[in-house]
Amino acid sequence: MSELADLARTAGLEVIGSDVQRRSDVDPAHFIGMGKVAALRDMKLEGEFDLVVCNEDLSPRQQRNLELELKARVLDRTEMILEIFAQHARTHEGRLQVEAARLHHLLPRLIGAYAYDRQVGGRRGGVGARGGDLIPPYLFAEIDRKVQAKRRAGVDVISLGIGDPDLPTPGRIVSVLQETAADPSNHRYPSYFGLAELREAIALWYRDRSGVELDPATEILPTLGSKDGISHAPLALVDPGEVVLTPDPGYTVYVTGAVMAGAEPYVMPLTESNHWLPDLDAIPAGVLDRARLMWLNYPNNPTAATADRGFLERAVEFCRRHEIVLCHDAPYSEIAFDGYRPLTLFEIPGAKEIGLEFHSLSKTYNMTGWRIGWVCGRADLVGLIGQLKTNIDSGIFQAVQWAAIEAMNGGEEETRAACAVYARRHRLVADTLNSLGWKIKPPRATFYVWAPVPAGYDSIGFANHVLDAVGVNITPGVGFGPHGEGYFRLSVTAPDARLEEAMTRMRKLEL
Amino acid sequence: MKSTRTGARRLDLIPPYLFAEIDRKVQAKRRAGVDVISLGIGDPDLPTPGRIVSVLQETAADPSNHRYPSYFGLAELREAIALWYRDRSGVELDPATEILPTLGSKDGISHAPLALVDPGEVVLTPDPGYTVYVTGAVMAGAEPYVMPLTESNHWLPDLDAIPAGVLDRARLMWLNYPNNPTAATADRGFLERAVEFCRRHEIVLCHDAPYSEIAFDGYRPLTLFEIPGAKEIGLEFHSLSKTYNMTGWRIGWVCGRADLVGLIGQLKTNIDSGIFQAVQWAAIEAMNGGEEETRAACAVYARRHRLVADTLNSLGWKIKPPRATFYVWAPVPAGYDSIGFANHVLDAVGVNITPGVGFGPHGEGYFRLSVTAPDARLEEAMTRMRKLEL
């Protein structure tokens, strides 16, 4: 026990006491006996401690139960040691190894972990929300708390943290919702598989957009936003113990969806030197043997990178060869500038034989709040997700589906106008950052700016500095995974005047 | 793919969702020109009240509702729910921590085991029952353990019949009263025993209560938290679908013990991005009134229940109209199993009813019929049923 106390002190903790319990066998629910739990709870009520470290490994359930009972964070020995490594890892590679080890240890604990510390009613955490619990724990919650605290203290914080279009949903779409919501036929259960008219509108849109035919009956499934499809796809397609390949930095739901399915996420690093594309040949054969699903996302969140035809062709060929379902998340397919037209997956020959593509109406039609999107691609895979989802939801409010049909039957002009706004804002941000010494070019797609943090900062430190110094909220890159360290993300979805004000403030930054 | 299968093995453990299957069959009949009357699904035929639609129309035009909603629902909605619960049941719920709006109660029910149960642990599920209790457990890698509901025990589970070895691993128990599919109700004595039982065995008691307001002749179903101590171990799942004729709108909530509600909320931040705020404002409008509307709807269901009971009794059944829900649960005639009888009724007179076995093996020998078809259609269905050869 004295060794554990030393370890705890090394991690920067103050040790206020220790205790040993002798038992003939371990309590499966709490590790220690309920009497001991009650005694600890009393101590906690008197404010004597806020962390418990156990000198043996705890099962996820034991850890969770103890946290629930004690209303305090509970670590086991392995986590304690990982914490120390994390604090002392100096090199980038060292930090990655620690993160990987910590991830591995945290996986079974992700769901339901740290019960006492959640803030119900809190604001969203930038991206994949509390998926941010994974790397590093509490990041988004901490940012949240800081921003709220600043605001309470009277600071006019400008948030460039979330990719949520500030432009309103076009009036024609709202009108259709208003009309169809008054029709009682839309008050009853929708079909599980979406209105035939919606699936047909999607097929038409896809044909006009990409020159690819999709069968509305079998190759298209409307979803409650693309996140619904993304988070549930591994439950439908992947068995426990199989591998899901996830880009890092990336949308955290790729990882948490895999974890929910009991699968093992395997990180594909995205690096600037490789143009933020994964190096497929670097994935070990042993991983590929168990890999069942690969996530790609271009135009990319958070890096704003795009994928050319050559890369997508290689990815399709690679996934065909290794029998991996290629899942392409494409919510930003229409948010592109200066004549650039992102490729959709099925423009690549052969992609439909192994692939799925996830779309959202959120970004294209300023409909983030409406929660509607779709998954399309290989029919049996689409069907499996549909089959799973019959057990999870009861379809999408039909009035919203009719509004989505209206959205997709037009809107090219609106999207073009919105993209012109984003392009102008991107130039403003690039000009501002470049005047401060950065050397960035406005991106070709997405409403994100992804840029390195200045020398001397890590990504959390820089985000804190910007928030403290000038009241602008940006997202630290490490929130998207360890490989996002060293970068920050900024979203140009704030109203013009606010973004201009933010840039005026940024020019005053001392770096 | 790498093996002959393409889907996850867990899908093999999930039977095709009953209603999706029935949907396909009815569609085929209709394509063949048959005028099928569906009494298969509990989907109110009455429209959503106009005042609720109006609020949706107004709030959908407000750009502040076009952006991401909070993961945890509008504070105003959580407060409206707390107020409703207090008025309804005399129980205080903390809107900040004890209430979480969901995309229909099914969202909460299907995801609760993913948030609360580890692989290898046991989820206790009533049979016959809503199939999502089982499939939710399967999705979480947990082991569903069937609690048979039998007519001789008034369609209540026999808690003492659950083996000790199962209870050791049991983490969650589903109850659902007023009950789907049996239309049974639970009295205070049973609910008190269930709460005491789950406290003793450290089991999360999940009460699915979408039919709490659909009751007749002055009967007022108990909500879980009217039972002392229930909130220390319990969750209750509610829906606006049945109470306000809003099945299509996909909104409900889960409430109860704060840390459990919080865990479901935490899980759901990884799954959805909240509920369209215009729908939330409509839900607030729904909950701030509507007792008269619900009473009127219940009067309609009660009248329809009498019609169905009279019809079935004239054919030789001996049933009483239920005290709650819009379901009729009755035995199939001798010589039929439940699927055979449902097929017979569909083929012979074009009426779609649900075979009891669709709710689990212990539903075999019964069928369920929902009185949520418009009066004229239900009357036509009953006229046709009278011509059935049994």
Side-chain angles (χ1 to χ4, degrees):
Chain A
M1 285 306 273
S2 66
E3 183 219 2
L4 185 71
D6 287 341
L7 284 172
R9 286 187 199 97
T10 309
L13 301 169
E14 181 193 351
V15 179
I16 60 110
S18 69
D19 201 351
V20 176
Q21 185 178 34
R22 290 188 195 286
R23 284 175 65 91
S24 56
D25 52 8
V26 162
D27 182 303
H30 294 88
F31 186 76
I32 51 178
M34 283 311 285
K36 185 64 73 182
V37 171
L40 283 171
R41 189 169 45 214
D42 290 345
M43 285 175 70
K44 173 65 169 53
L45 287 176
E46 286 160 24
E48 294 188 24
F49 65 86
D50 47 27
L51 176 74
V52 175
V53 185
C54 176
N55 204 19
E56 304 281 343
D57 281 345
L58 297 170
S59 76
R61 179 180 173 183
Q62 288 162 347
Q63 186 179 21
R64 177 176 59 202
N65 286 341
L66 283 173
E67 291 193 331
L68 292 177
E69 290 288 347
L70 301 176
K71 306 269 189 291
R73 191 167 174 192
V74 176
L75 295 182
D76 64 14
R77 184 184 171 83
T78 304
E79 274 177 306
M80 180 86 264
I81 290 168
L82 284 170
E83 179 64 34
I84 293 166
F85 278 127
Q87 289 177 11
H88 292 75
R90 294 273 173 244
T91 65
H92 188 57
E93 192 53 35
R95 281 200 299 271
L96 285 182
Q97 281 172 4
V98 173
E99 279 302 346
R102 174 143 59 180
L103 245 172
H104 188 75
H105 187 74
L106 271 181
L107 284 182
R109 293 164 168 79
L110 169 69
I111 305 304
Y114 309 132
Y116 72 97
D117 195 45
R118 236 177 5 278
Q119 294 191 316
V120 174
R123 201 179 117 260
R124 84 187 41 257
V127 269
R130 319 278 168 182
D133 274 0
L134 265 180
I135 316 167
Y138 310 122
L139 173 65
F140 290 114
E142 268 166 40
I143 292 175
D144 246 20
R145 271 194 287 273
K146 257 181 208 143
V147 169
Q148 295 307 332
K150 286 268 169 206
R151 287 191 170 141
R152 274 195 302 276
V155 179
D156 172 30
V157 176
I158 302 175
S159 178
L160 307 179
I162 303 172
D164 185 359
D166 58 304
L167 306 170
T169 309
R172 65 188 177 91
I173 299 173
V174 174
S175 297
V176 168
L177 175 85
Q178 290 171 326
E179 284 159 31
T180 53
D183 177 352
S185 72
N186 295 321
H187 298 167
R188 307 190 70 175
Y189 280 125
S191 157
Y192 288 110
F193 309 108
L195 288 165
E197 291 88 342
L198 175 57
R199 285 183 268 110
E200 278 154 22
I202 292 168
L204 213 59
W205 179 91
Y206 210 94
R207 194 181 66 191
D208 290 351
R209 162 69 172 77
S210 302
V212 175
E213 298 286 341
L214 294 172
D215 177 1
T218 61
E219 296 181 334
I220 295 170
L221 179 72
T223 55
L224 291 145
S226 62
K227 188 174 180 181
D228 172 25
I230 293 166
S231 64
H232 290 123
L235 271 176
L237 304 176
V238 185
D239 279 334
E242 294 183 322
V243 167
V244 173
L245 302 166
T246 61
D248 181 341
Y251 187 40
T252 49
V253 177
Y254 307 143
V255 172
T256 53
V259 170
M260 280 195 296
E264 191 182 309
Y266 180 87
V267 161
M268 302 184 294
L270 307 185
T271 59
E272 188 159 10
S273 61
N274 201 33
H275 311 288
W276 307 107
L277 301 170
D279 178 1
L280 303 177
D281 297 328
I283 305 168
V287 170
L288 288 174
D289 286 347
R290 292 186 296 130
R292 188 151 194 92
L293 198 151
M294 175 191 289
W295 285 106
L296 291 178
N297 160 226
Y298 294 98
N300 185 257
N301 171 24
T303 69
T306 57
D308 61 9
R309 181 175 291 273
F311 172 75
L312 289 176
E313 284 176 353
R314 281 198 306 283
V316 166
E317 195 276 325
F318 184 88
C319 287
R320 287 168 65 105
R321 181 153 35 95
H322 294 288
E323 300 184 12
I324 293 168
V325 178
L326 177 52
C327 289
H328 187 231
D329 181 20
Y332 303 100
S333 66
E334 309 313 304
I335 309 300
F337 317 118
D338 303 321
Y340 173 62
R341 202 193 61 104
L343 282 166
T344 50
L345 182 62
F346 303 122
E347 292 172 65
I348 308 302
K352 216 204 287 177
E353 288 163 43
I354 46 108
L356 292 171
E357 195 165 55
F358 297 76
H359 282 266
S360 167
L361 275 72
S362 295
K363 324 291 180 181
T364 312
Y365 304 106
N366 304 325
M367 291 175 77
T368 43
W370 297 56
R371 314 312 313 135
I372 187 157
W374 76 87
V375 52
C376 57
R378 184 170 137 169
D380 58 352
L381 302 176
V382 170
L384 287 164
I385 296 175
Q387 184 189 344
L388 176 85
K389 269 169 50 58
T390 60
N391 295 291
I392 287 171
D393 61 62
S394 298
I396 306 162
F397 186 22
Q398 282 189 179
V400 171
Q401 293 191 57
W402 289 114
I405 292 167
E406 171 63 29
M408 305 202 66
N409 282 341
E412 281 159 55
E413 268 316 307
E414 292 151 359
T415 305
R416 227 189 317 268
C419 286
V421 170
Y422 297 137
R424 174 162 45 74
R425 293 177 183 171
H426 270 308
R427 283 192 297 273
L428 170 66
V429 173
D431 287 348
T432 304
L433 292 179
N434 288 342
S435 79
L436 288 163
W438 269 269
K439 285 176 187 151
I440 63 165
K441 279 189 285 191
R444 292 207 298 168
T446 82
F447 33 61
Y448 300 119
V449 175
W450 179 252
V453 299
Y457 290 97
D458 65 9
S459 65
I460 291 178
F462 182 62
N464 281 338
H465 175 60
V466 175
L467 182 62
D468 290 338
V470 298
V472 174
N473 176 33
I474 59 176
T475 310
V478 73
F480 302 96
H483 292 271
E485 185 50 273
Y487 294 83
F488 68 92
R489 192 192 77 172
L490 177 161
S491 173
V492 300
T493 51
D496 285 343
R498 294 294 278 168
L499 187 70
E500 282 160 23
E501 162 72 12
M503 291 303 108
T504 304
R505 294 188 196 175
M506 296 274 281
R507 283 176 198 271
K508 295 176 195 150
L509 265 186
E510 285 175 29
L511 298 174
Chain B
M1 299 292 112
K2 290 192 173 162
S3 57
T4 49
R5 86 206 150 80
T6 51
R9 287 195 175 86
R10 64 175 67 76
L11 284 188
D12 301 339
L13 302 174
I14 299 176
Y17 188 59
L18 176 71
F19 295 134
E21 286 299 288
I22 289 175
D23 229 23
R24 277 191 272 274
K25 214 184 213 160
V26 168
Q27 292 309 327
K29 279 270 170 206
R30 285 188 174 144
R31 273 195 300 277
V34 179
D35 171 32
V36 177
I37 302 175
S38 179
L39 307 178
I41 298 178
D43 185 0
D45 58 303
L46 305 170
T48 310
R51 64 188 177 90
I52 299 172
V53 173
S54 297
V55 169
L56 175 85
Q57 290 171 325
E58 284 159 32
T59 54
D62 177 351
S64 72
N65 295 320
H66 298 167
R67 307 189 70 173
Y68 279 125
S70 157
Y71 286 113
F72 308 109
L74 287 165
E76 291 88 342
L77 175 56
R78 285 183 269 111
E79 278 154 22
I81 292 168
L83 212 61
W84 180 92
Y85 210 95
R86 193 181 68 192
D87 289 351
R88 161 67 173 80
S89 301
V91 174
E92 296 287 340
L93 294 173
D94 176 4
T97 61
E98 296 181 334
I99 294 170
L100 178 73
T102 55
L103 290 146
S105 62
K106 188 174 180 182
D107 173 25
I109 293 166
S110 63
H111 290 124
L114 269 176
L116 304 175
V117 184
D118 282 332
E121 293 183 325
V122 167
V123 173
L124 302 166
T125 61
D127 181 341
Y130 187 40
T131 49
V132 177
Y133 308 142
V134 172
T135 53
V138 169
M139 280 195 295
E143 191 181 308
Y145 180 87
V146 160
M147 303 184 293
L149 307 185
T150 59
E151 189 159 7
S152 61
N153 201 33
H154 313 286
W155 307 106
L156 301 169
D158 179 1
L159 302 177
D160 298 328
I162 305 168
V166 171
L167 288 174
D168 286 347
R169 292 186 296 131
R171 183 149 191 94
L172 198 152
M173 175 190 289
W174 285 106
L175 292 178
N176 161 227
Y177 295 97
N179 186 257
N180 171 24
T182 69
T185 57
D187 60 11
R188 182 175 289 274
F190 172 76
L191 289 177
E192 284 175 352
R193 281 200 305 284
V195 166
E196 195 277 323
F197 184 88
C198 287
R199 287 169 64 106
R200 181 152 35 95
H201 294 287
E202 301 184 15
I203 293 168
V204 178
L205 177 52
C206 288
H207 187 231
D208 181 21
Y211 304 100
S212 64
E213 309 313 302
I214 309 300
F216 318 117
D217 303 321
Y219 173 63
R220 201 193 63 104
L222 282 166
T223 49
L224 182 61
F225 303 123
E226 291 173 66
I227 307 301
K231 216 203 287 178
E232 288 163 43
I233 45 109
L235 291 171
E236 194 164 58
F237 296 76
H238 282 267
S239 167
L240 275 73
S241 295
K242 323 292 181 181
T243 312
Y244 304 105
N245 304 324
M246 290 175 77
T247 42
W249 297 56
R250 312 313 311 135
I251 187 158
W253 75 87
V254 52
C255 58
R257 183 169 138 168
D259 55 0
L260 302 176
V261 170
L263 286 166
I264 296 174
Q266 180 188 1
L267 176 85
K268 269 170 50 56
T269 60
N270 296 292
I271 288 172
D272 61 61
S273 298
I275 305 163
F276 186 22
Q277 281 190 179
V279 170
Q280 294 191 55
W281 289 114
I284 292 168
E285 171 63 30
M287 305 202 67
N288 283 341
E291 280 160 56
E292 268 316 307
E293 291 152 358
T294 306
R295 226 189 318 269
C298 286
V300 170
Y301 297 137
R303 174 162 44 76
R304 293 177 182 171
H305 269 309
R306 283 191 296 273
L307 171 67
V308 172
D310 287 349
T311 304
L312 291 179
N313 288 342
S314 79
L315 288 164
W317 271 270
K318 286 176 186 152
I319 64 165
K320 279 190 285 191
R323 291 207 297 169
T325 81
F326 32 61
Y327 300 120
V328 175
W329 179 252
V332 299
Y336 290 97
D337 65 9
S338 66
I339 290 179
F341 183 62
N343 282 338
H344 174 60
V345 175
L346 182 61
D347 291 339
V349 297
V351 173
N352 175 35
I353 60 175
T354 310
V357 74
F359 302 96
H362 292 271
E364 185 50 273
Y366 294 83
F367 68 92
R368 191 193 77 173
L369 177 160
S370 173
V371 299
T372 50
D375 285 343
R377 294 293 278 169
L378 186 71
E379 282 160 22
E380 163 71 12
M382 290 304 108
T383 305
R384 293 188 195 176
M385 296 273 283
R386 282 175 199 269
K387 294 176 194 150
L388 265 185
E389 285 176 29
L390 299 172

